[in-house]
Amino acid sequence: MWGALLRRRVRGAGGLRCLSSGGPPWSQVVSEAEKIVGYPTSFMSLRCLLSDELSNIAMQVRKLVGTKHPLLDTARGFVYDSRNNLQMRGLVVLLISKAAGPSTAELSFQHDMVSGIYSSQRSLAEITELIHTAFLVHRGIVNIGELKSCDGPLKDMQFGNKMAVLSGDFLLANACTSLAQLQNTKVVELISSAIGDLVQGIYYENSKSSEENCLTDDIGISRWKEQVFLSHSALLAKSCQAAMELAKHSAEIEDMAFQYGKHMSMSHKLHSDLQPFVKETSSDTMAFSLNSAPAILHQEFCGREAWLKQIRELQEAIKAGKGVTSAIDLCRCHGNRALAALERFPPSEARDALANIVYAVTRFP
């Protein structure tokens, strides 16, 4: 169904290659992109993460060692997460800022640029990462009523929830303070609306299912995309748009930056959803979500009644059906739309790095 949208011509000099030609692996893409923006984005929110207040919280979180509280996994991710790359959003904001360059309206402020990026845009990248990290921490709150004895002592799990709330709120408060210091009403409005979108998307996820393997409602892929935009794409899309606003670029460039952020992050989510079904080393017991794109698309193809009959053998049914191939097509469709938005930016190392990110999240074994 998405095949017609996937055919893309190979551009001439200065253009972007088609998705089918592949690209370097994710780790290489990130490493090369970080060199372009001037420093490793793993240090992006370091000032906040190493503050006295959060250091005290980190010391308290050590009490959770030995339990299965998800806040521990989030904390480990701050130190090492090469697979999901927690700093990806800030990196994209920096790259899109450099790819767009200074606008004619802001030539007098070029002395404020480092590696082709305004200081306000670097601050925005940090703000984006702080917001994302705050919501990751808040997602670590567990439902006390569903705990099992093997998860750990009740008092420790309750303590972990308090730490997740406090540390998440601390990060979000720092992000909002830094956002106000940008002194740009439109940027404040954009990022505030992105926070609202995140809350709405996460609330929907939590209200529909308290367990990852719970049966989904009878929703189609259009509804799925709306929900994923709120919970996964809105922050990056609006941050990219805000970066263009800080440099006083035109409304057209702002929209192209928004479109790139939206479709690249949609491809990233689809790529993540597809991993249990496309990995060559994937075992039959590998966990996957019934809210993932392959599962939703499989349900659309086979019908609700057949879907319910197949529920006990779902992973193999999805692998054998059209859900996986359609989800791959959809991932590449969003990838192509992200590349189309990039065509409006002048050729540069930063634009090539943004394209490589798209190639990386649309590669499959």
Side-chain angles (χ1 to χ4, degrees):
M1 125 175 111
W2 305 102
L5 294 174
L6 298 178
R7 290 186 288 273
R8 181 181 178 85
R9 296 178 181 176
V10 179
R11 301 293 180 114
L16 300 171
R17 65 180 184 272
C18 61
L19 287 179
S20 60
S21 59
W26 177 255
S27 58
Q28 182 182 340
V29 166
V30 172
S31 177
E32 292 175 353
E34 288 180 334
K35 294 176 184 177
I36 293 172
V37 299
Y39 61 84
T41 47
S42 55
F43 297 120
M44 190 165 295
S45 53
L46 200 59
R47 287 179 296 172
C48 183
L49 292 176
L50 293 182
S51 64
D52 290 341
E53 295 90 342
L54 206 60
S55 294
N56 290 333
I57 293 176
M59 291 295 292
Q60 297 297 321
V61 170
R62 292 178 61 184
K63 297 178 181 179
L64 298 177
V65 174
T67 71
K68 293 185 179 180
H69 200 286
L71 183 57
L72 282 174
D73 293 331
T74 304
R76 293 188 189 102
F78 294 148
V79 179
Y80 179 75
D81 190 352
S82 61
R83 184 172 63 87
N84 294 313
N85 199 305
L86 295 178
Q87 308 292 336
M88 181 268 290
R89 288 156 187 80
L91 178 60
V92 170
V93 171
L94 293 177
L95 286 170
I96 203 80
S97 299
K98 184 163 185 174
S103 72
T104 54
E106 285 289 293
L107 290 177
S108 60
F109 296 98
Q110 287 194 30
H111 65 274
D112 190 36
M113 300 182 79
V114 178
S115 297
I117 304 169
Y118 290 111
S119 61
S120 59
Q121 292 173 322
R122 289 188 182 274
S123 296
L124 176 64
E126 293 181 3
I127 290 166
T128 301
E129 280 305 330
L130 284 176
I131 293 171
H132 175 62
T133 303
F135 277 88
L136 279 181
V137 172
H138 279 158
R139 283 175 179 261
I141 299 172
V142 298
N143 188 337
I144 297 297
E146 297 179 354
L147 291 177
K148 300 177 182 177
S149 58
C150 62
D151 292 328
L154 177 60
K155 65 176 183 178
D156 288 343
M157 302 302 282
Q158 290 174 329
F159 177 78
N161 278 359
K162 292 178 182 178
M163 289 298 100
V165 172
L166 288 173
S167 52
D169 287 353
F170 174 79
L171 292 170
L172 196 55
N174 273 269
C176 292
T177 300
S178 298
L179 184 61
Q181 290 172 350
L182 293 177
Q183 297 182 341
N184 187 304
T185 304
K186 183 175 179 180
V187 170
V188 171
E189 184 178 320
L190 280 169
I191 303 303
S192 298
S193 66
I195 293 174
D197 291 338
L198 268 170
V199 172
Q200 185 178 345
I202 294 172
Y203 176 80
Y204 181 86
E205 289 178 1
N206 292 340
S207 64
K208 292 298 180 183
S209 171
S210 60
E211 297 181 3
E212 191 71 6
N213 62 347
C214 181
L215 182 64
T216 60
D217 290 339
D218 187 10
I219 64 172
I221 196 64
S222 296
R223 180 62 176 158
W224 178 88
K225 288 196 286 186
E226 291 175 7
Q227 295 166 12
V228 168
F229 172 78
L230 292 174
S231 59
H232 291 83
S233 299
L235 178 60
L236 181 57
K238 293 182 178 181
S239 293
C240 289
Q241 181 181 354
M244 300 301 98
E245 165 63 22
L246 288 171
K248 303 301 180 185
H249 283 291
S250 65
E252 180 185 10
I253 293 298
E254 284 190 26
D255 182 60
M256 290 300 101
F258 176 91
Q259 294 300 327
Y260 175 83
K262 172 185 175 181
H263 293 295
M264 192 285 291
S265 53
M266 292 289 285
S267 288
H268 188 270
K269 178 64 169 71
L270 283 156
H271 186 272
S272 176
D273 280 359
L274 280 159
Q275 291 313 296
F277 305 99
V278 300
K279 276 189 174 180
E280 295 177 356
T281 57
S282 175
S283 65
D284 292 338
T285 59
M286 186 174 180
F288 68 98
S289 171
L290 297 187
N291 291 306
S292 65
I296 298 295
L297 285 164
H298 176 76
Q299 179 180 334
E300 283 196 345
F301 279 110
C302 72
R304 182 69 173 175
E305 293 303 318
W307 161 260
L308 292 173
K309 291 179 180 179
Q310 294 172 351
I311 199 66
R312 290 189 178 180
E313 301 172 347
L314 185 58
Q315 189 171 16
E316 288 304 319
I318 293 175
K319 285 182 178 179
K322 297 180 179 180
V324 172
T325 56
S326 294
I328 291 174
D329 287 348
L330 182 58
C331 178
R332 289 174 176 161
C333 173
H334 283 289
N336 277 327
R337 294 178 72 175
L339 292 177
L342 277 184
E343 291 284 2
R344 303 307 299 269
F345 293 83
S348 66
E349 282 187 332
R351 191 184 81 160
D352 290 343
L354 289 165
N356 282 336
I357 289 175
V358 176
Y359 300 140
V361 298
T362 52
R363 291 175 75 241
F364 298 96

